[in-house]
Amino acid sequence: MYKAVIFDIGGVVMRSPFIAIAAYEVKLGLPVNYVNCSIIGRGSQGAWQKFERGEIELVPFYEAFGRDLSDTVNGNIWYKAYCERKGLKCPELPGYLKVDGRELFGSMMREANQYDPHIKHAILRIRAAGRHKVIALTNNFARVNVPDEERRFLGWDDGATPKHLLELFDDFCDSSSLGMRKPEHAFYLLACERNGIVPSDAIFLDDIGMNLKAAKELGIETIQVFIGKTLDAVKDLEGKLGLDLTSPLSVSRL
């Protein structure tokens, strides 16, 4: 019997920032997933990864993020490798690219500022049943200092992690506060340790394959959440928990 459900935030509990990345790729005439490949290709020392671990402040991050993603020499190498892995014909790749780190990050955060209704309702149902811990495991930015003038631009009027989001969970494991991030095994293990469970006690929902792969390696049950198919993920979770997660909750229990 499972004792806990662990949720990713962006792309699961909240709308996916990948929607904004896809729009930005279209704007710049880039192939699908080009930006994502460049973010991942940087490995643990990329600007994005450092920001999620709380190692770099916001304004320097903007500059470094834009610089990382404007690097077509490496970006094209990573994208060609991606196409080979996927068995795709590689399209024409950019010879020059100027990515505005602030513009892209701002659009990502504003896109990810809305709850997914199906996942939020499922969380409320799990909390109401009282049988499982509900844990957030997120690559996030809560520890980063954000100038007041940037909060509105990012859609962070209530902060990067607003109180109404924190209150959905029994524990909120934030990468920037804990100094580690998915898919590092230590991050998952710390979440389990903090909540008195072992990996096999938990089900983990995430939208990114490499994060789910790491969880599986530790013995955590996983559910992948696809853009536009969150209800399917909730129904899968229903089956694993043996709980009704889709019926309405009475007002008195909300």
Side-chain angles (χ1 to χ4, degrees):
M1 178 180 176
Y2 296 109
K3 298 179 181 178
V5 184
I6 305 174
F7 291 89
D8 175 38
I9 299 301
V12 178
V13 179
M14 312 298 285
R15 282 173 59 89
S16 175
F18 290 134
I19 297 171
I21 291 178
Y24 196 76
E25 288 172 338
V26 170
K27 177 181 176 181
L28 296 187
L30 295 172
V32 173
N33 277 331
Y34 187 91
V35 169
N36 293 329
C37 287
S38 290
I39 292 173
I40 294 169
R42 288 284 160 188
S44 64
Q45 295 306 304
W48 180 263
Q49 290 81 358
K50 290 180 179 179
F51 192 55
E52 288 185 331
R53 292 194 301 266
E55 297 173 4
I56 184 173
E57 292 296 339
L58 183 65
V59 174
F61 162 71
Y62 286 156
E63 298 169 0
F65 189 44
R67 187 167 57 248
D68 280 358
L69 298 184
S70 298
D71 175 9
T72 56
V73 173
N74 285 303
N76 290 352
I77 291 171
W78 294 324
Y79 196 77
K80 288 176 183 177
Y82 162 79
C83 290
E84 289 178 6
R85 289 195 306 273
K86 296 292 185 179
L88 302 173
K89 180 180 179 181
C90 188
E92 182 177 351
L93 300 177
Y96 172 82
L97 186 58
K98 180 62 176 177
V99 172
D100 185 321
R102 179 177 182 268
E103 179 186 357
L104 175 57
F105 184 70
S107 65
M108 292 169 66
M109 294 304 99
R110 293 189 298 272
E111 183 66 45
N113 201 28
Q114 304 172 58
Y115 283 104
D116 179 273
H118 302 300
I119 298 290
K120 184 179 180 182
H121 184 74
I123 290 172
L124 293 175
R125 293 284 309 190
I126 295 168
R127 294 293 299 269
R131 302 179 195 170
H132 305 85
K133 284 195 171 185
V134 181
I135 302 163
L137 186 71
T138 176
N139 291 349
N140 199 28
F141 326 104
R143 188 181 171 193
V144 177
N145 295 315
V146 181
D148 290 341
E149 63 271 17
E150 285 298 289
R151 291 185 182 274
R152 185 173 299 278
F153 172 73
L154 295 171
W156 288 0
D157 293 319
D158 298 320
T161 311
K163 183 180 178 182
H164 56 78
L165 176 60
L166 291 171
E167 289 176 343
L168 288 176
F169 299 94
D170 296 304
D171 189 23
F172 199 95
C173 300
D174 180 297
S175 63
S176 66
S177 298
L178 298 173
M180 56 185 75
R181 63 187 294 278
K182 296 173 293 185
E184 297 167 16
H185 283 183
F187 195 27
Y188 302 82
L189 293 174
L190 180 60
C192 292
E193 181 182 343
R194 282 163 55 118
N195 289 280
I197 61 172
V198 296
S200 59
D201 290 334
I203 301 172
F204 174 54
L205 290 85
D206 201 294
D207 59 326
I208 298 178
M210 69 174 64
N211 294 343
L212 294 163
K213 180 182 177 183
K216 282 183 179 180
E217 289 169 352
L218 294 169
I220 299 172
E221 181 68 24
T222 63
I223 296 173
Q224 186 159 12
V225 181
F226 296 96
I227 293 175
K229 296 185 177 181
T230 54
L231 182 56
D232 291 343
V234 169
K235 289 180 178 178
D236 193 356
L237 183 60
E238 274 188 325
K240 293 180 187 300
L241 294 180
L243 290 176
D244 176 3
L245 302 180
T246 54
S247 296
L249 275 170
S250 63
V251 175
S252 63
R253 298 179 72 185
L254 286 173

